[in-house]
Amino acid sequence: MAYSPEIREAAKRLYLRHWTPDEIRNELTLPNNRIIYYWADKHNWRDLLREEDVDEAIARRIVMLTEISDKSGNQIKELDMLIEKHVKLKKQRVDLARKAADIENGTTSATNKGKGANKNNGGNKSDNSGNKPSGRKKKNDVSHLTKEDFGAWYDSLFEYQKTMHENLHQRIRNILKSRQVGATYYFSGEAFENAVLTGDPQIFLSASRSQAEVFRTYIVAIAHEFFEIELTGNPIVLNTAHGAAECRFLSTNGKTAQSYHGHVYVDEYFWIGKFDQLNKVASAMAAHKHWRKTYFSTPSTKAHPAYTFWTGDHWKNGNSTREEIEFPTFDEMRDNGRLCPDKQWRYVVTLLDAQRGGCDLFDIEELRDEYNTDEFNNLFMCIFIDDADSVFKFSDLEKCMVDATRWQDYKPNALQPFGNREVWLGYDPSRTRDNATLVVVAPGEKEGEKFRILEKHYWRGLNFSHHVSEIQKIYAKYRVTYIGVDTTGIGAGVFDSISTLYPREAVSIHYSVSSKTRLVLKMIDVIEGGRIEWDASHKDIAMSCLAIRRTITDTGGAITFKASRDQVTGHADVFFAISHAVINEPLNYAHKRKSQWIMQN
């Protein structure tokens, strides 16, 4: 029998992710696995297959779980466990390397000896003078740790992370980075080390509380795996040899953030709204000359208020005496960073730089195949998006990004996260790739109440029965009153099952120039009107919206909208999934705001 290109492409991607032929057959409901072997031989898939060790497999799973903002309790436990394993493997590699060096040199590791002695002192069992324990063990006691004890952690770092460490003395560090190169892990360890050795407080600012908690998870894991110390509390208060040192994890939405002081780390600042206000808060917390400020982020768009902060234009600010001062070039900042005229140390770490620095966790060619050129450059090569041609303005999108922990009526880990309130679902199957997207949207019940995106899910593979079973799990958690399904292509298979199970709620959305225009206009209406919110950690939603462009039909007779929805990108999928949900509210919904877009016949 003939198989569609979509099925073959789905099989290839699963094969390259180390799925077995039997697993691929079950996932794609193929009659047998012989076709998988045939395709692998014919199209040389085996030549593309790269061996994956345990460390890489764990890192890949961590990446996937980290990108899920609305994590379930089990997902959070799994992420904690994997991070702990990941840190443990790093430590084991360093220990093995040191043992090998000791054997070669005929010596014994002084560091390991020191660590053993320190552990004894840290437990208050005895001291060098033979005195008895002074009393009860202190909580989070790290007073016995010295700089030498952090040698194993430092040895586990990649070269570009060591470059950041070597510039710890800089008053302001500004780092532009590729996705998933371990910046959060590194700065967690750096802050823990600095707190232990100096007693200085450390403050972490993120777009949402859940994102800030990732720092805490890493600090706890590093302390456990490298020093066998169990840290507790939130904030974490360390009992150091220099006094108590606090590690606080805050969302930028918190108005009390400015009441603290210490070394400040601002995470993903190009995805935080009202950057000017945030920068004032960060500066206030680190106003004293001995406090540092560290900003690091993947790039978003040139329209973001932080863009001039990165380029240095905010410092020049029309000052004629500064206009002619040149800043280091992009390539110079990739070369171990540069101290710039505005006294900021700027550093760029692209995916290629990370690879050269020892990070072998990526298959760059596979990523180039998965993303189109613009998206690859933005996500991995630190190139900003120019949103001038986008239907949406980034300034409108950032108003929609909030800290979801302030939604008091939404409990993501509860059996019924939204109680008995209704929700709408939007399902979008990719037409040419092997994934689908589903979002859970809460409509407003009262006047002025906004749409809220509670959950989003990405499902790999074209196994329609699997997608249906996952949708049934959503129905078990929420009171679903509507689900919009794109039935233009392969989504028809899902709709057949959904409409049988839930005939009252299921609505078919068949794409045409007119229907697509209605979907986009509805999204313009709610976004420009400030009538929708999502958690700030859902960066892919904003990117998906920015992918929407205005164009003309093939015949040139009408204006329509398009997005990159081919086999190399899926970042517009979540946009259309959301539109499938909110279109349940009519276009002529009665409210005062008028959109700048109109329908023309």
Side-chain angles (χ1 to χ4, degrees):
M1 62 177 292
Y3 295 94
S4 67
E6 291 85 0
I7 291 289
R8 191 165 62 248
E9 181 66 20
K12 175 185 175 182
R13 292 193 178 280
L14 294 175
Y15 187 90
L16 295 181
R17 291 188 180 91
H18 298 270
W19 287 45
T20 67
D22 282 335
E23 290 171 336
I24 297 172
R25 180 199 66 199
N26 293 333
E27 178 70 14
L28 303 181
T29 61
L30 297 172
N32 56 63
N33 59 17
R34 290 196 301 273
I35 187 63
I36 308 298
Y37 290 108
Y38 171 74
W39 286 336
D41 288 334
K42 181 179 178 180
H43 302 291
N44 299 316
W45 292 355
R46 290 187 181 89
D47 295 338
L48 303 175
L49 195 61
R50 184 171 59 88
E51 290 188 6
E52 185 178 53
D53 58 29
V54 174
D55 199 14
E56 289 176 315
I58 291 175
R60 174 168 51 79
R61 182 67 178 171
I62 288 175
V63 168
M64 191 200 77
L65 289 172
T66 301
E67 291 179 346
I68 300 174
S69 296
D70 300 324
K71 300 178 184 66
S72 66
N74 288 335
Q75 287 172 330
I76 292 173
K77 289 179 182 178
E78 182 184 2
L79 181 59
D80 289 345
M81 182 269 292
L82 290 173
I83 288 176
E84 184 177 325
K85 286 288 185 184
H86 189 53
V87 174
K88 188 173 184 179
L89 285 171
K90 281 178 173 286
K91 180 177 181 292
Q92 287 176 345
R93 283 203 305 270
V94 173
D95 289 345
L96 288 173
R98 285 191 168 181
K99 287 179 181 178
D102 290 343
I103 293 172
E104 183 177 345
N105 297 328
T107 61
T108 303
S109 173
T111 301
N112 289 337
K113 281 185 178 180
K115 287 176 74 171
N118 284 334
K119 269 188 217 174
N120 195 34
N121 289 339
N124 287 330
K125 292 179 182 177
S126 63
D127 58 25
N128 293 333
S129 63
N131 294 332
K132 291 183 179 181
S134 58
R136 196 166 157 188
K137 184 177 179 180
K138 294 180 179 179
K139 179 181 177 182
N140 297 339
D141 185 14
V142 294
S143 59
H144 57 287
L145 296 181
T146 65
K147 184 175 180 60
E148 288 71 27
D149 292 323
F150 282 87
W153 170 77
Y154 180 81
D155 290 343
S156 72
L157 301 177
F158 297 121
E159 290 304 314
Y160 54 92
Q161 294 170 325
K162 292 179 179 179
T163 297
M164 298 175 194
H165 193 274
E166 290 162 5
N167 285 274
L168 186 61
H169 62 283
Q170 304 288 356
R171 175 86 164 86
I172 302 176
R173 292 178 296 175
N174 198 342
I175 297 161
L176 196 65
K177 68 179 187 69
S178 162
R179 288 182 64 187
Q180 304 300 335
V181 293
T184 305
Y185 168 82
Y186 164 71
F187 286 118
S188 300
E190 174 194 281
F192 176 62
E193 178 191 37
N194 185 255
V196 169
L197 300 182
T198 67
D200 289 348
Q202 316 288 324
I203 303 169
F204 303 89
L205 284 174
S206 296
S208 66
R209 185 61 185 267
S210 60
Q211 200 168 328
E213 288 296 318
V214 176
F215 282 104
R216 184 184 181 280
T217 300
Y218 272 125
I219 289 175
V220 170
I222 290 170
H224 175 69
E225 294 302 333
F226 284 88
F227 308 103
E228 297 183 7
I229 295 173
E230 301 293 337
L231 298 181
T232 58
N234 194 353
I236 296 175
V237 181
L238 303 173
N239 279 290
T240 78
H242 308 276
E246 287 188 344
C247 296
R248 289 193 173 270
F249 313 95
L250 307 171
S251 80
T252 54
N253 192 55
K255 295 181 180 179
T256 59
Q258 56 191 335
S259 63
Y260 304 113
H261 65 275
H263 301 299
V264 178
Y265 294 87
V266 185
D267 177 27
E268 294 292 359
Y269 71 91
F270 270 109
W271 298 94
I272 296 175
K274 300 180 181 178
F275 174 76
D276 293 337
Q277 295 181 23
L278 162 71
N279 203 19
K280 289 179 182 178
V281 171
S283 297
M285 290 190 294
H288 295 176
K289 64 182 180 180
H290 55 280
W291 302 135
R292 295 184 317 276
K293 291 184 291 183
T294 301
Y295 303 81
F296 62 102
S297 180
T298 52
S300 57
T301 77
K302 293 180 179 180
H304 194 280
Y307 182 69
T308 57
F309 179 75
W310 166 255
T311 61
D313 289 340
H314 82 296
W315 176 73
K316 295 181 178 181
N317 196 25
N319 189 322
S320 58
T321 61
R322 296 176 175 176
E323 283 295 332
E324 302 302 321
I325 299 177
E326 292 188 4
F327 274 59
T329 66
F330 183 82
D331 288 337
E332 286 174 336
M333 288 187 283
R334 290 176 62 186
D335 182 23
N336 293 319
R338 291 290 189 277
L339 184 62
C340 300
D342 60 353
K343 297 183 180 179
Q344 289 192 36
W345 179 76
R346 288 179 172 84
Y347 187 33
V348 176
V349 183
T350 69
L351 190 61
L352 297 180
D353 300 327
Q355 187 182 55
R356 283 192 293 269
C359 182
D360 57 356
L361 303 177
F362 298 92
D363 186 331
I364 293 181
E365 292 308 312
E366 183 178 333
L367 290 173
R368 288 187 186 277
D369 181 58
E370 185 174 350
Y371 296 92
N372 68 30
T373 301
D374 290 340
E375 286 167 345
F376 180 85
N377 287 339
N378 174 247
L379 296 172
F380 303 109
M381 297 303 293
C382 300
I383 303 299
F384 287 87
I385 292 175
D386 188 349
D387 61 354
D389 297 327
S390 174
V391 167
F392 298 95
K393 297 183 180 70
F394 191 83
S395 57
D396 289 330
L397 295 171
E398 69 177 352
K399 294 174 184 176
C400 304
M401 295 184 278
V402 301
D403 185 356
T405 58
R406 67 185 179 88
W407 296 341
Q408 297 183 3
D409 56 348
Y410 175 57
K411 311 294 182 185
N413 296 323
L415 292 176
Q416 291 183 297
F418 208 47
N420 197 41
R421 286 192 56 175
E422 70 170 323
V423 298
W424 300 345
L425 307 184
Y427 174 85
D428 180 77
S430 176
R431 291 177 176 80
T432 56
R433 301 191 312 143
D434 59 328
N435 72 312
T437 307
L438 182 126
V439 294
V440 180
V441 177
E445 284 188 342
K446 303 175 183 178
E447 184 177 354
E449 191 174 0
K450 301 177 181 181
F451 287 104
R452 286 178 285 170
I453 302 173
L454 305 182
E455 293 186 19
K456 63 180 173 62
H457 301 272
Y458 295 111
W459 298 319
R460 294 285 181 178
L462 298 175
N463 188 330
F464 299 146
S465 61
H466 170 69
H467 293 192
V468 172
S469 67
E470 292 298 314
I471 292 173
Q472 287 179 289
K473 293 177 183 177
I474 301 296
Y475 265 81
K477 294 166 54 179
Y478 294 96
R479 184 168 72 88
V480 180
T481 60
Y482 164 88
I483 176 171
V485 179
D486 173 11
T487 58
T488 310
I490 57 179
V494 172
F495 182 77
D496 287 345
S497 298
I498 293 297
S499 59
T500 301
L501 292 168
Y502 313 108
R504 290 187 176 183
E505 298 93 27
V507 174
S508 169
I509 299 174
H510 192 81
Y511 270 61
S512 64
V513 172
S514 176
S515 64
K516 184 191 289 187
T517 300
R518 289 175 60 84
L519 291 168
V520 176
L521 286 177
K522 186 61 187 179
M523 288 294 289
I524 291 171
D525 177 73
V526 297
I527 289 174
E528 285 188 3
R531 296 199 303 116
I532 189 168
E533 293 180 340
W534 58 81
D535 192 87
S537 59
H538 289 295
K539 297 188 290 290
D540 54 334
I541 295 179
M543 295 300 295
S544 181
C545 294
L546 291 171
I548 306 300
R549 302 284 192 269
R550 223 176 11 159
T551 186
I552 60 174
T553 59
D554 293 338
T555 61
I559 292 178
T560 185
F561 301 93
K562 72 173 183 179
S564 299
R565 290 169 59 81
D566 52 29
Q567 65 182 14
V568 293
T569 178
H571 291 278
D573 295 346
V574 68
F575 170 86
F576 284 102
I578 296 168
S579 72
H580 296 164
V582 300
I583 197 64
N584 191 42
E585 178 189 80
L587 269 179
N588 60 353
Y589 173 79
H591 58 87
K592 296 179 180 179
R593 195 197 70 83
K594 293 184 178 179
S595 173
Q596 60 179 317
W597 295 82
I598 59 174
M599 289 278 289
Q600 291 184 342
N601 296 325

